[in-house]
Amino acid sequence: MDCNEFNFLVHAYVDDELDERERVETEVHLGACDTCRSKARRVSRFRQALRESYEPETAPDSLKVRLVAALEAQSHVEAQQAEAASASGPAPVVPLDTMREATRRPSTGTNRWLLAGGGLAAAAAVALLVTAVFSSGASEDASPTIAPSGTARAERPQSRNMGYEPIVRESVSWHRRQVPIEITGPDDARVNHWFQGKVDFKVKTPRFDRRGDGDVNLLGARLSNVREKQAAYVVYEVDGSKVSVLIFDRNEKVPDSAARAGERGFYNAGGYNVAVVEEQGVTYSITSDLSREDHVQLVNAAFRPK
Amino acid sequence: MTAVGMELEVAGSDKMRAFNEEALIHVDALFGVALRLTKNERDAEDLVQDTLLKAFTHFGKYKRGTNCKAWLFKIQTNTFINRYRKKSREKVFLVDDRDHRPLQDRAVAPKRNILEDGAEDEGDWYQKIFSDDVKSALEEIPTDFRMVVLLADLYDFSYKETAEIVGCPIGTVMSRLYRGRRLLAAKLVDHAVNSGYIKHDPRVDIEDENGDVQKVVEFKRRRRKRSG
Ligand SMILES: [Zn+2]
C-alpha cells in the first residue's frame, strides 16, 4: 500500500469498516509512514470530537403521548377489521384519518395530520409508499399486480421472459421514488461518459428524441441496482411526464436472433407502463405514466430492431 | 445522552407488546435525526409520528429480532424524502432548477481541508467544538451528505446499514460520508476562526476533490475482484 491508496482508505480505516486483509495492509503502512499516521489521527480525532460533543435530543413527552394515543387507535381499528373479516367477507377499508382525527394536535387547527389528498387516497398512498420501500422483502402480497400488456413487434419466448416480472416490479419502485441524481442532463454523451468505470457495461442512454416530435428532455442519471446488479438509472421528461430507464447487464446469454429482433415485452404494473428491451447484451427497462399507446411508440422509436 | 423522557408504553395486544419492545424504544433516535432533517420541531414530530404509524401498520412485514432500528430509519428516510422534501423546497434531490451542475459539483468541499491536511498542532480546535455548533453546521450542508453523517457518525449505523436506509450503494455512502465530513469540518473551522478559537486558518492547499468519486469506484472494484 502507498500513501495514495491510504488517502482513500483512511476514513474506512478509522470507521473500522475495512476487511481483515485491508486493515492489516493499512497498519503495515501506518507503521512506516508518519504522514499517513498523522492523517489517520486527525480523521479519528475529528470523528471522536463530533461524537463526543453531540448531544442528541430526546423526543418530547407531548409527542410520546400523541404516539401512544395514535397507536392505540390504530390497534383498535385493526382489531375491528380482524373481527369484521372473520365475520364476513373482505375487511372494510379504514381510512388512515380515522385514527388521525383522534390524535390531531389541538393547537394547529388545520389538518396537519392528514396526508395531502386525505381519506382513502392518503391511505392508498401510504400503502404504495411502504410497498415501494419494502418490495425487496420476503412478503410481496401488497405489490401491484403485473400484467403483460400484449406483445409488440416481436413474439416473446415465454421461458425467458418469465424473468421480467421482478425487473418490472423494481422498475416501478424506482420510478415512483424521488431519488437524488448524480449527473445532470441534457447532454447524453456526458451522461454516458459519467458511467464509465462506474458500471461494468457500456451505458448508452436511449434516444427518445428519435420519435421526431414532442418534447424530450434528459434530466439526469444516477447509479442504482436491479436484482442486486449494478444499473444506470436515467430520468427523462417526455411531454411533461416522467420517463425513467434502468439499464443493466443481466449477464444472461440472449440468443442473437432475439437481440437482432430487438426483443421486448410491455407490461402494466401499479398504473405504470413498463417496457423491457434487450439490445446488444444490455437490458433496458423503461417506465412511464404515459398512455400505453404513447409509451409503446416512444420505446419503439428509440429501439429499432435491426 | 441527557434527560430520559417518559416511558413509552402501549397496552394491549401481542403486536403492541412486540412493537413496544422493538420499535418504540428508538423514538428518541428517530426524533433526533428527524429534527436535523426537517430543521424544526413541529415537522420532526410529524415525521416521527408518521414513521411509527407506518411501521406499526406494516409491522407484520418486519421480521422479529432483525434490525428494527435500521428498518424504522428506512421508513423515516423515505417518508422524509417523499413528503417533507417537497415542502422544504430544498434543492438537493432529483433536479435542481436553479443549478444544473451535477450533485457532487454543487456540494464541493473547499479545496483545503483540515481533516486531511491540517497541521498537527492545530488539533486544539477539536476541543472547542460544541454540540450547537455541530448541529448548525450539519443543517448547513446538503441533505444527502447530512443524512449519511448523521446515520454513520452520530447514530452508529454501519456503512452497510446506512446504504440500506438511504437506498444507495455502499460506495455512494462512502463518498458522501467522506465529503460530508469534510464539508462539516470546513464549516466548523470557519466557525472556530470566526469565534477566535483558533488564530490562523490551518487549512493548506492540496486536496484532489474530483478524484474522490473515482477512488470510491476503484476501491469497490478492487474489493469485488478480491472477493470474486
Ligand atoms: Zn503514507
Side-chain angles (χ1 to χ4, degrees), chain A residues 274-286:
Chain A
V274 183
V276 184
V277 180
E278 314 269 6
E279 194 175 82
Q280 296 177 353
V282 176
T283 306
Y284 297 78
S285 174
I286 304 104

Side-chain angles (χ1 to χ4, degrees), chain A residues 4-5 7-15 17-19 21-22 25 38-39 41-43 45-47 49-51 53-68 70-75 78 96 99-100 103 105 107-108 112-113 115-116 126-127 129-131 133-134 136 139-142 174 176-185 190 194 196-200 219-220 222-225 230 235 242, chain B residues 1-3 5-6 8-11 13 15-16 19 24 27-28 31-32 35-36 42-43 45-46 48-50 52-54 56-58 61 71 74-75 78-79 81-83 85 93-95 100-104 106 114-118 120 123-127 129-131 134-135 138 144 149-150 152-156 158-159 167-169 172 174 176-178 181 184-185 188 213 215-217 219 221-224 226:
Chain A
N4 255 347
E5 281 182 283
N7 269 351
F8 174 64
L9 291 179
V10 57
H11 290 267
Y13 172 69
V14 165
D15 294 342
E17 290 270 356
L18 294 179
D19 63 32
R21 182 174 150 187
E22 286 163 338
E25 281 178 18
S38 97
K39 181 176 280 191
R41 198 154 47 227
R42 269 197 306 278
V43 173
R45 283 168 71 185
F46 176 72
R47 185 175 188 261
L50 215 56
R51 294 160 73 93
S53 65
Y54 197 81
E55 292 162 10
E57 290 85 358
T58 52
D61 288 350
S62 58
L63 170 63
K64 294 179 179 178
V65 170
R66 272 187 292 115
L67 265 172
V68 170
L71 289 167
E72 281 174 351
Q74 171 67 5
S75 186
E78 285 178 9
L96 269 187
M99 72 196 181
R100 283 160 182 264
T103 59
R105 197 192 331 245
S107 60
T108 58
R112 289 180 52 81
W113 292 106
L115 299 174
V126 170
L129 168 72
V130 175
T131 302
V133 172
F134 299 111
S136 58
S139 167
E140 304 218 317
D141 51 321
W174 272 94
R176 275 203 193 111
R177 282 151 60 184
Q178 294 279 346
V179 292
I181 57 164
E182 294 172 304
I183 173 88
T184 47
R190 188 162 152 272
W194 184 82
Q196 268 180 35
K198 297 188 176 67
V199 295
D200 292 337
L219 295 177
R222 57 166 290 144
L223 288 171
S224 97
N225 43 69
Q230 50 175 215
V235 183
K242 176 177 172 184
Chain B
M1 306 269 168
T2 46
M6 62 179 270
L8 262 184
E9 181 72 41
V10 181
S13 63
K15 178 182 174 185
M16 281 289 206
F19 196 74
L24 285 183
V27 68
D28 288 335
F31 180 75
L35 196 56
R36 290 287 91 71
R42 170 154 286 177
D43 286 343
E45 288 191 23
D46 285 1
V48 171
Q49 172 151 346
D50 288 346
L52 284 167
L53 282 177
K54 272 179 208 171
F56 186 73
T57 309
H58 295 270
K61 288 192 177 175
W71 181 71
K74 182 163 184 158
I75 298 175
N78 278 281
T79 308
I81 289 173
N82 281 288
R83 180 136 13 109
R85 179 189 55 83
F93 292 90
L94 201 58
V95 173
H100 288 277
R101 286 173 299 153
L103 189 65
Q104 65 266 34
R106 269 181 261 156
I114 191 162
L115 264 196
E116 270 89 2
D117 311 309
E120 192 66 23
D124 277 1
W125 73 278
Y126 291 136
Q127 310 310 317
I129 298 180
F130 296 107
S131 185
V134 177
K135 286 173 183 174
L138 266 172
D144 285 343
V149 172
L150 271 170
D153 275 349
L154 300 171
Y155 285 87
D156 294 323
S158 68
Y159 289 1
C168 67
T172 309
M174 289 160 85
R176 284 183 192 169
L177 179 62
Y178 309 160
R181 282 177 181 167
L184 199 59
L188 289 168
V213 171
K215 274 187 253 171
V216 171
V217 172
F219 175 67
R221 181 172 300 151
R222 248 173 354 100
R223 283 200 138 169
R224 239 195 336 267
R226 189 174 301 161

Side-chain angles (χ1 to χ4, degrees), chain A residues 2-3 6 29 33 35-36:
Chain A
D2 58 23
C3 297
F6 178 79
H29 180 76
C33 179
T35 315
C36 289

